[in-house]
Amino acid sequence: MSTTLIEVRPARTADAVEVASTHDEAWRAAYQGLIPGPELDKLINRRGAQWWDSAIRKGSRVSVLCFGDKVAGYANYGRNRARSLQFEGEIYELYLRPEFQGLGFGRRLFASAKRDLMQSGLKNLVIWALSDNEGATEFYRALGGRMVARSSERFGAKSLDKVAFAWNA
């Protein structure tokens, strides 16, 4: 019998290549058909291993969920960037490789990021998701998030609606 370790930990610079690969796979799975192809490619390509290495070195809060020795997902988070919303923390991104979705790993990653934000004194948090990304919106609702705002974002010539979900401590 063998045991596979599943852990959430802060990302290290040595994780940058796998985080970039996870970002690529997860974004293609989540946004294919929602975000126009050329725009999606641009968004993914500008966040390669060098970008992640730099973000980690600069102290950005990036956590990885590891399944054995493989990065299965990541979250990055910090202070809320939307001044119009009265929430202190924000999870900017939370993504899993497609083969690791639906196994409870997203919940673990979310709980870890939320706990880290709360321990830093940020008593509530917000996450944005594209309205048409049903997987994400259902996931955040299932985690108890309440919808608190709507907005839109342009991707080339296409404008997509997005919603903010929030949690208190």
Side-chain angles (χ1 to χ4, degrees):
M1 183 168 135
S2 68
T3 303
T4 302
L5 178 66
I6 301 167
E7 70 171 333
V8 178
R9 61 168 172 76
R12 302 186 276 254
T13 55
D15 298 320
V17 169
E18 278 206 74
V19 173
S21 171
T22 301
H23 172 262
D24 185 315
E25 286 182 28
W27 277 51
R28 288 188 195 287
Y31 302 123
Q32 203 94 45
L34 291 178
I35 297 175
E39 296 302 317
L40 181 57
D41 287 341
K42 274 192 247 177
L43 289 167
I44 291 169
N45 292 337
R46 73 178 190 206
R47 303 278 292 280
Q50 277 187 313
W51 189 93
W52 287 104
D53 180 75
S54 176
I56 294 165
R57 285 181 194 280
K58 289 177 183 172
S60 294
R61 285 179 159 165
V62 180
S63 291
V64 292
L65 183 138
C66 296
F67 183 81
D69 58 359
K70 183 178 183 69
V71 171
Y74 72 91
N76 64 334
Y77 49 93
R79 292 201 167 277
N80 177 19
R81 301 170 292 184
R83 300 207 188 279
S84 62
L85 295 177
Q86 299 301 308
F87 295 92
E88 297 174 10
E90 180 179 357
I91 296 179
Y92 312 131
E93 296 179 77
L94 191 151
Y95 291 97
L96 293 170
R97 292 179 187 265
E99 67 268 28
F100 291 101
Q101 293 175 10
L103 303 172
F105 295 160
R107 285 180 175 274
R108 286 177 77 160
L109 198 50
F110 174 84
S112 177
K114 181 181 178 191
R115 185 172 45 254
D116 192 15
L117 288 169
M118 301 298 162
Q119 288 172 347
S120 299
L122 305 175
K123 299 298 178 204
N124 47 46
L125 71 99
V126 67
I127 296 176
W128 288 92
L130 292 178
S131 301
D132 291 338
N133 183 348
E134 291 176 14
T137 58
E138 289 174 19
F139 175 69
Y140 296 134
R141 278 191 188 99
L143 289 173
R146 66 186 200 292
M147 199 181 340
V148 295
R150 286 189 165 278
S151 187
S152 63
E153 191 168 337
R154 290 201 74 73
F155 297 93
K158 191 172 185 180
S159 180
L160 296 173
D161 291 325
K162 61 184 186 176
V163 293
F165 292 91
W167 293 260
N168 290 316

